[in-house]
Amino acid sequence: NAVAKSLADALVVPAGYTATVLYRLGDPIAASVADYKNDGTDTGASFAQRAGDHHDGMHYFGIGADGKVSASNSDRGLLVLNHEAITPAYLHKDGVTIDGTAVSKYPSTITNTMTRTVADEVIKEMNAHGVSVIEIAKNGSSVTYKKDSPFNRRITTFTEMTLSGPAAKTAYMVTAYSKDGSKTRGTINNCGNGYTPWGTYLTTEENWAGYFRRITATDNPSRTAKELASFARYGVAGTGRELWATATATDPTDTSFSRWNAMKTGTSADGSDDFRNVANTYGWIVEIDPFSPASTPKKRTALGRFAHEGAWPGPVVPGKPLVWYMGCDSRNEYIYKYVSTALWDPADTGKGLAAGDKYLDDGKLYVAKFNADGTGTWVELKFGSNGITGSNTAYAFADQADVLVNTRLAADAAGATKMDRPEWGAVNPANGEVYMTLTNTNASSRPITAVDAANPRFYNDPKGTAATAQKGNPNGHIIRWAENNGDVTATGFKWDVFLFGARSTADANNINVSNLTAANDFSSPDGLWFSRSTGLLWIETDDGAYTDVTNCMLLAAVAGKVGDGAKKTISNVDGTTTKQVDTYVGATLGETNLRRFLVGPKECEITGVAETPDGKALFVNIQHPGEDTAPVFGSPSSFGSHWPDGGNARPRSATIVITKDDGGTVGGGLA
């Protein structure tokens, strides 16, 4: 039966299922590391071997008897997961120390003069970002992680990364750390994810731009017009969201903190004496070989630089190119796909990063254009074509490396369709059709006059007893498309809207277009995953619009196919302004084919989903419970959440594992 909506500080799953906490913030991944105290006193250095914060995208890789990747082993495997960001207050004893004073929550306004004065706090935060690789074992219905596995690894902002592909070793990548532009340090804001058919993990760098310090009044006069256009398009400006660049290292030659300063401070012509170009080394898809703990991850520049939400592989066919679909997670941004030049050879399975060199460093990058008639076009982002030239008036491109470093600007030039915040994608293994969440937008990003066929709704969703206005598309939708003739290399596709998020009580003609009920209504779809075992589509939410009624959730859906619904006219109203839009809507699912499966604790996001090959263990991440409430450390009962430890404990992001009590496949009853 469907789980009811809930505002409780609890994790709720259907009767007949059990959810167990597997891997929490601070949990050790080495036998020599002590259990986490969860009181803010654990050292920053220890977090190099502890679970990071804000668990997000993840993938399960089975381990074969030979210690290599196995597509079928459900009893022993590697779980690889992202740590997107942090809730700083709960990481430190009395909150974050700014200008020498501990504060429980960041001030609403960060000024240029504020500084981080406790270096260990900053080290802890930098280590709490990145990726975890942990070995897990399943014994019956019990799933545990192995604390002393030789596979266990943390990849953080300190981990050296190789820059690979067309933009590597170019002038755009030169820093004081890598004078030839061949490498950088760390990965940041790892949100969605992907994987490869040869057995490696793809982590994505999403809101990386905000971590860099660049005070525009000081720096702008020293930069070229092209640099300023690039900075503006990506949002590289401000104090730096965590103020890491303001911390002082004990060793004056240590640039661990100063590298977050993206201002021009040196005198060199190429940036080899400062970190003016450092932001160009972020915003990429990063490939990690979980089966080789000593390997150096590679940032794959051929897949473009933007606010990557994920990289989801399409159908894998021997002798055919490989494809990955990607979203740029910001309002009015784009959907992309990458098609490899090399044709898939199953003999490359298990070859790690060497296989990545073959398939991920050479290919074609496309951006999507959604037409009003339900068709679409993939436009190649190639220097010298589709408006991406040196004579482009908005931004004069120099070469293909410039196109990849400034992919957003290239997509602008190509005339791509601006979407309502593209986030996660998923490819239906039954037919190769692609689904992508458009999480939400607001009136300032897309006014009523700018709605179109693929982003067709503008409405008000009043929130709470005060009926606070929420205008735009605050509940989001899920779009899907089918490549022409099922060919991943096709430059044309057909699309429709699979589901519209909405309150079940909203207007059925123009808002609750998918006829959602109390058993399946939702808002702000984010994570997606197709089960290889059951064929179910799992839908996760990251919501702020419907949280007056329910915490974030996980739903299970039975997907149809593109074109199984009908054309529909939606009437949008904003005061005296009206606009009608024709769109294409998938078949109504009803409660038979769409049900709420899980509701999370207070103030969390439900994100990241993976499963064992047999479908009997489903992994889900609960991110930042209690984040929205400023803690009062002398009064722990005031914390916004106490999940998962309960009592008066500080909240912790965590990975849970869901199993069916009768040992069956998770969600099997619906499928």
Side-chain angles (χ1 to χ4, degrees):
N1 293 326
V3 166
K5 295 185 281 282
S6 171
L7 290 171
D9 189 30
L11 184 72
V12 185
V13 295
Y17 288 88
T18 297
T20 305
V21 176
L22 176 70
Y23 183 62
R24 303 161 296 178
L25 164 68
D27 280 346
I29 63 167
S32 60
V33 180
D35 288 343
Y36 188 50
K37 297 176 183 176
N38 198 24
D39 62 1
T41 62
D42 298 275
T43 67
S46 76
F47 262 82
Q49 292 183 302
R50 295 187 183 279
D53 204 355
H54 286 210
H55 300 39
D56 210 298
M58 61 182 163
H59 191 73
Y60 173 90
F61 298 89
I63 302 175
D66 57 358
K68 297 181 180 180
V69 63
S70 165
S72 60
N73 194 343
S74 296
D75 295 330
R76 183 187 178 210
L78 297 179
L79 191 65
V80 190
L81 64 144
N82 296 339
H83 300 288
E84 180 183 12
I86 55 173
T87 305
Y90 291 117
L91 286 176
H92 312 303
K93 184 175 183 296
D94 297 306
V96 184
T97 305
I98 298 178
D99 294 336
T101 302
V103 295
S104 63
K105 198 172 182 70
Y106 263 55
S108 58
T109 302
I110 300 290
T111 68
N112 293 348
T113 60
M114 288 180 174
T115 60
R116 297 292 300 272
T117 48
V118 179
D120 188 68
E121 289 183 3
V122 177
I123 292 170
K124 184 185 297 187
E125 293 175 10
M126 290 170 64
N127 273 328
H129 285 74
V131 176
S132 284
V133 180
I134 56 171
E135 181 178 344
I136 62 173
K138 183 158 73 77
N139 184 7
S141 62
S142 175
V143 181
T144 57
Y145 84 95
K146 187 177 179 182
K147 294 181 182 179
D148 59 351
S149 169
F151 288 110
N152 288 355
R153 182 183 185 186
R154 279 299 320 286
I155 294 156
T156 73
T157 62
F158 291 99
T159 305
E160 185 168 278
M161 307 265 161
T162 298
L163 296 167
S164 186
K169 299 182 181 179
T170 64
Y172 306 102
M173 304 299 196
V174 171
T175 65
Y177 180 72
S178 179
K179 299 182 189 303
D180 67 350
S182 64
K183 60 184 180 180
T184 190
R185 274 175 295 182
T187 184
I188 199 75
N189 210 255
N190 305 90
C191 192
N193 67 296
Y195 59 95
T196 69
W198 54 90
T200 60
Y201 182 74
L202 302 178
T203 187
T204 64
E205 298 177 329
E206 188 197 10
N207 293 317
W208 48 271
Y211 288 84
F212 295 100
R213 184 178 184 86
R214 198 179 75 82
I215 309 304
T216 55
T218 304
D219 194 54
N220 279 5
S222 302
R223 311 310 283 264
T224 67
K226 283 189 63 174
E227 285 178 306
L228 294 178
S230 178
F231 287 142
R233 190 64 180 85
Y234 284 92
V236 182
T239 58
R241 59 185 274 177
E242 309 296 353
L243 296 175
W244 289 345
T246 68
T248 301
T250 304
D251 180 352
T253 66
D254 182 359
T255 58
S256 296
F257 304 145
S258 60
R259 66 184 169 108
W260 300 102
N261 184 355
M263 298 173 68
K264 184 177 180 181
T265 60
T267 58
S268 68
D270 61 358
S272 59
D273 59 350
D274 59 17
F275 291 94
R276 74 188 73 164
N277 297 322
V278 68
N280 292 337
T281 70
Y282 287 80
W284 305 103
I285 299 291
V286 185
E287 185 182 11
I288 297 166
D289 184 356
F291 293 88
S292 180
S295 61
T296 301
K298 291 191 173 185
K299 297 197 177 187
R300 301 295 186 180
T301 65
L303 282 77
R305 173 176 168 265
F306 43 90
H308 278 283
E309 182 69 24
W312 299 280
V316 176
V317 181
K320 298 291 186 180
L322 297 174
V323 62
W324 284 266
Y325 297 95
M326 302 171 286
C328 181
D329 182 9
S330 194
R331 289 162 179 162
N332 286 326
E333 289 299 340
Y334 307 118
I335 293 171
Y336 300 86
K337 81 169 178 178
Y338 169 86
V339 180
S340 70
T341 299
L343 308 182
W344 171 238
D345 181 354
D348 289 327
T349 302
K351 291 186 178 179
L353 298 174
D357 295 341
K358 177 178 178 180
Y359 297 101
L360 295 176
D361 282 348
D362 184 16
K364 293 180 179 180
L365 183 63
Y366 298 88
V367 68
K369 182 182 292 186
F370 291 82
N371 302 320
D373 63 357
T375 66
T377 304
W378 291 109
V379 183
E380 186 177 1
L381 300 181
K382 180 181 179 181
F383 177 67
S385 63
N386 299 318
I388 308 167
T389 66
S391 59
N392 185 287
T393 55
Y395 184 88
F397 295 91
D399 49 31
Q400 187 62 17
D402 198 356
V403 172
L404 295 171
V405 170
N406 291 289
T407 305
R408 280 181 170 179
L409 287 162
D412 291 343
T417 302
K418 299 179 185 295
M419 308 298 286
D420 284 355
R421 195 178 164 205
E423 293 217 50
W424 289 55
V427 180
N428 189 341
N431 57 19
E433 294 183 354
V434 190
Y435 291 62
M436 187 162 287
T437 54
L438 302 174
T439 299
N440 55 48
T441 193
N442 55 32
S444 60
S445 299
R446 188 185 294 275
I448 188 172
T449 53
V451 295
D452 58 32
N455 307 272
R457 289 188 304 172
F458 183 103
Y459 56 97
N460 182 27
D461 178 30
K463 182 178 180 180
T465 55
T468 303
Q470 300 180 111
K471 290 186 176 183
N473 179 20
N475 305 126
H477 57 289
I478 301 173
I479 201 164
R480 62 183 174 183
W481 62 89
E483 301 279 18
N484 287 349
N485 300 315
D487 181 2
V488 299
T489 67
T491 56
F493 58 89
K494 294 182 179 179
W495 66 267
D496 66 15
V497 177
F498 173 58
L499 278 174
F500 287 95
R503 299 173 190 259
S504 61
T505 55
D507 170 29
N509 290 321
N510 303 302
I511 301 174
N512 185 17
V513 180
S514 297
N515 296 315
L516 304 179
T517 71
N520 59 24
D521 61 342
F522 67 94
S523 173
S524 302
D526 189 344
L528 289 179
W529 168 256
F530 269 103
S531 167
R532 267 53 181 172
S533 175
T534 63
L536 289 175
L537 175 62
W538 296 99
I539 304 169
E540 299 172 315
T541 69
D542 177 15
D543 184 37
Y546 199 22
T547 48
D548 55 326
V549 173
T550 183
N551 299 336
C552 287
M553 65 184 69
L554 172 72
L555 303 103
V558 176
K561 61 181 181 179
V562 173
D564 61 11
K567 186 177 180 180
K568 180 177 176 59
T569 300
I570 294 179
S571 297
N572 298 293
V573 180
D574 184 22
T576 59
T577 303
T578 62
K579 185 174 181 179
Q580 288 191 329
V581 179
D582 289 338
T583 190
Y584 300 85
V585 182
T588 299
L589 298 185
E591 294 179 7
T592 300
N593 291 322
L594 177 67
R595 301 177 200 167
R596 189 177 303 106
F597 183 84
L598 173 153
V599 178
K602 290 183 177 180
E603 300 174 16
C604 80
E605 170 187 347
I606 306 298
T607 183
V609 57
E611 66 178 354
T612 51
D614 62 10
K616 294 182 179 181
L618 185 74
F619 304 95
V620 177
N621 283 326
I622 312 299
Q623 187 183 107
H624 63 63
E627 182 184 51
D628 298 333
T629 301
V632 179
F633 291 118
S635 180
S637 61
S638 68
F639 296 169
S641 172
H642 301 284
W643 190 90
D645 297 343
N648 283 329
R650 298 182 183 204
R652 302 161 74 178
S653 293
T655 301
I656 62 168
V657 57
I658 302 171
T659 54
K660 200 170 184 181
D661 295 346
D662 64 5
T665 55
V666 178
L670 179 59

